[in-house]
């Protein structure tokens, strides 16, 4: 790779491949997984050009976590996703589960490397906590979950696991959203809740550029409005995280107006949508854990 433009292009493509890999681990088993080598090789190429690339380190942590997640589909009786379960993650892998223990150690090592490069990455911190939890290192797992909460006090899963592991009741997070994510990003959500189990339908975008957010929202506005009122609840807004500054968002339903030519449009003048400093923007292809949910860079379609 000759310059940063090439690196960003590879990061974007690798991020898409990593997202497909992760999605396959939700229900697939370890033997079902494909293209691990392709994803790993893409990040190895980036690291050869930028040895301290924290994005690649975080993505390799997610890759390792995905393999463990798929393995757990083999050895567990099914039910709630162990990565997302509030109070019922595996309380340690069986001593004779050599593959599971090996995969958990791989997650632990990858997460620790990512945190050395970027100590305020709560996705890496949460992944480390999960690995330690599965390795039955409960005290260390609780400390890692607390670190994830330090960065993002709204991570309800990390909070619940600390309370379970330490038998404590933690205070509620501040009303105003205040997180310590190191990068700035925009999260556009146009989804609706379609089942009591938490199933959703719609689109989510994780982006680092205002013009791309506006284009995505404008393009999907009519489709969203056509489906309004068909679910149990909805997320329809744009949220912006500004590192070290004011973060917030706007519900799009509050800023829809009648366009001069007829039909609905978004009144962008009423939106909280600040531009992000170039040196603090979320790198392309970098996944995040935001308010207790994993999001991949770019576009994600939800059709549970």
């Amino acid at each position: 790779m000759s310059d940063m433009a090439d690196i960003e292009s590879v990061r974007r493509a690798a991020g898409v491949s990593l997202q497909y890999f992760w999605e396959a681990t939700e229900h697939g088993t370890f033997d079902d997984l494909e293209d691990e080598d392709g994803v790993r090789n893409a990040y190895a190429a980036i690291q050869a050009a930028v040895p301290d690339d924290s994005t690649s380190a975080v993505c390799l942590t997610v890759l390792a976590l995905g393999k463990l997640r798929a393995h757990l589909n083999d050895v567990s009786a099914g039910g709630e996703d162990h990565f997302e379960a509030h109070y019922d993650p595996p309380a340690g892998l069986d001593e004779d589960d050599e593959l599971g223990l090996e995969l958990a150690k791989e997650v632990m090592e990858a997460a620790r490397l990512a945190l050395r490069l970027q100590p305020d990455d709560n996705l890496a911190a949460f992944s480390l906590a999960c690995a330690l939890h599965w390795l039955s290192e409960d005290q260390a797992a609780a400390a890692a979950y607390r670190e994830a909460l330090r960065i993002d006090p709204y991570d309800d899963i990390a909070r619940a696991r600390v309370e379970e592991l330490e038998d404590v009741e933690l205070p509620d997070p501040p009303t105003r959203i205040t997180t310590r994510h190191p990068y700035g990003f925009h999260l556009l959500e146009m989804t609706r809740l379609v089942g009591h189990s938490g199933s959703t339908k719609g689109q989510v975008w994780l982006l680092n550029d205002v013009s791309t957010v506006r284009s995505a929202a404008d393009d999907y506005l009519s489709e969203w409005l056509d489906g309004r009122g068909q679910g149990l609840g909805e997320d329809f807004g744009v949220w912006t995280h500004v590192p070290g500054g004011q973060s917030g968002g706007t519900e799009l339903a509050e800023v829809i107006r009648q366009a001069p030519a007829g039909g609905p449009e978004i009144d962008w003048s009423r939106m909280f949508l600040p531009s992000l400093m170039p040196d603090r923007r979320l790198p392309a292809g970098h996944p995040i854990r935001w308010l207790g949910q994993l999001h991949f860079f770019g576009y994600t379609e939800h059709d549970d």
Side-chain angles (χ1 to χ4, degrees):
M1 286 175 280
S2 59
D3 55 31
M4 288 307 296
D6 290 340
I7 292 173
E8 178 166 324
S9 177
V10 174
R11 275 204 197 107
R12 286 180 180 272
V16 172
S17 297
L18 178 63
Q19 181 176 356
Y20 289 147
F21 184 89
W22 177 261
E23 289 172 350
T25 68
E26 181 177 2
H27 302 294
T29 64
F30 184 77
D31 291 336
D32 295 332
L33 299 181
E34 299 178 354
D35 201 33
E36 176 196 349
D37 289 342
V39 177
R40 188 178 299 281
N41 290 340
Y43 290 118
I46 297 171
Q47 291 177 321
V50 187
D52 60 349
D53 183 57
S54 61
T55 294
S56 297
V58 171
C59 290
L60 288 170
T61 301
V62 175
L63 182 70
L65 189 64
K67 293 194 298 178
L68 177 57
R69 186 186 190 214
H71 171 71
L72 290 169
N73 291 335
D74 272 327
V75 300
S76 67
E80 192 170 7
D81 182 351
H82 298 304
F83 180 72
E84 300 292 349
H86 277 65
Y87 291 99
D88 192 29
L93 295 160
D94 291 339
E95 292 182 1
D96 59 354
D97 184 0
E98 295 182 3
L99 177 57
L101 294 171
E102 178 184 338
L103 292 172
K105 290 175 182 177
E106 182 181 339
V107 175
M108 179 182 67
E109 292 168 1
R112 283 177 170 164
L113 173 58
L115 289 168
R116 283 198 294 272
L117 296 173
Q118 179 45 264
D120 285 338
D121 194 293
N122 74 314
L123 175 53
F126 186 82
S127 299
L128 173 60
C130 289
L132 292 167
H133 205 157
W134 281 310
L135 289 168
S136 298
E137 298 185 25
D138 290 354
Q139 184 175 358
Y145 286 130
R146 280 188 175 272
E147 183 63 12
L149 273 177
R150 178 190 69 81
I151 302 167
D152 187 345
Y154 308 88
D155 190 330
D156 290 339
I157 297 174
R159 178 182 307 278
R161 292 185 181 181
V162 170
E163 292 179 336
E164 182 76 5
L165 286 167
E166 296 185 351
D167 193 22
V168 296
E169 183 175 345
L170 298 177
D172 293 333
T175 302
R176 179 178 176 273
I177 295 179
T178 305
T179 65
R180 296 179 176 84
H181 286 268
Y183 301 115
F185 53 82
H186 307 290
L187 193 69
L188 167 61
E189 295 186 272
M190 302 174 80
T191 63
R192 63 183 60 87
L193 185 66
V194 296
H196 291 285
S197 64
S199 298
T200 59
K201 187 177 182 65
Q203 296 82 26
V204 174
W205 293 259
L206 173 62
L207 301 166
N208 59 12
D209 174 71
V210 167
S211 62
T212 311
V213 173
R214 293 183 58 165
S215 177
D218 288 337
D219 288 347
Y220 279 85
L221 179 61
S222 294
E223 180 178 328
W224 165 259
L225 293 175
D226 287 344
R228 286 198 73 184
Q230 298 180 14
L232 303 175
E234 63 184 32
D235 286 308
F236 184 45
V238 180
W239 299 91
T240 298
H241 171 64
V242 181
Q246 183 182 9
S247 300
T250 305
E251 297 289 344
L252 291 175
E254 299 175 359
V255 295
I256 294 176
R257 65 184 179 187
Q258 191 75 9
E265 69 174 9
I266 298 169
D267 182 358
W268 290 103
S269 67
R270 297 171 57 198
M271 292 288 296
F272 176 81
L273 190 59
S275 296
L276 302 169
M277 297 295 291
D279 62 339
R280 301 294 300 277
R281 290 178 182 172
L282 182 73
H286 194 305
I288 63 165
R289 187 169 175 82
W290 168 247
L291 309 185
Q293 291 186 321
L294 174 62
H295 298 284
F296 286 89
F297 190 86
Y299 168 76
T300 300
E301 181 173 3
H302 293 270
D303 193 17
D304 294 349

